[in-house]
Amino acid sequence: IIIFFVEDVFEQLQESANMIQNSAQDSEDTLKRIPVYNIPKSWIDVLKKNRITASSYIKQALFEKLNRDGFI
């Protein structure tokens, strides 16, 4: 019973998280590695302090900018 409760809570957290995957299409056609260079260490430190991975933050930021600029 506890396992099911934990899974339900985890699913709720995933649905409300800022860094969720945006669509089923995203997971079907993804690249594994895209290097991003010249990111200031201070930015990475801020992400780490807030327990956010750089890759998830960059992915979300890229999605938001592409959407805002009308590319997707």
Side-chain angles (χ1 to χ4, degrees):
I1 296 175
I2 295 174
I3 294 172
F4 295 118
F5 175 73
V6 172
E7 288 176 358
D8 290 340
V9 171
F10 186 70
E11 287 179 19
Q12 290 173 356
L13 286 172
Q14 283 181 319
E15 291 172 3
S16 65
N18 288 336
M19 304 297 161
I20 59 173
Q21 197 155 2
N22 296 305
S23 70
Q25 182 183 10
D26 291 343
S27 62
E28 293 174 5
D29 187 29
T30 60
L31 297 172
K32 297 279 184 193
R33 296 179 185 257
I34 298 177
V36 179
Y37 300 100
N38 300 323
I39 298 174
K41 187 176 185 311
S42 61
W43 294 4
I44 301 300
D45 291 340
V46 168
L47 291 175
K48 285 181 181 179
K49 285 180 184 176
N50 289 289
R51 297 182 178 174
I52 302 170
T53 63
S55 61
S56 63
Y57 196 84
I58 291 167
K59 179 182 170 187
Q60 186 66 27
L62 186 60
F63 171 76
E64 289 177 11
K65 181 147 176 57
L66 286 169
N67 196 16
R68 182 190 70 197
D69 293 343
F71 293 124
I72 55 174

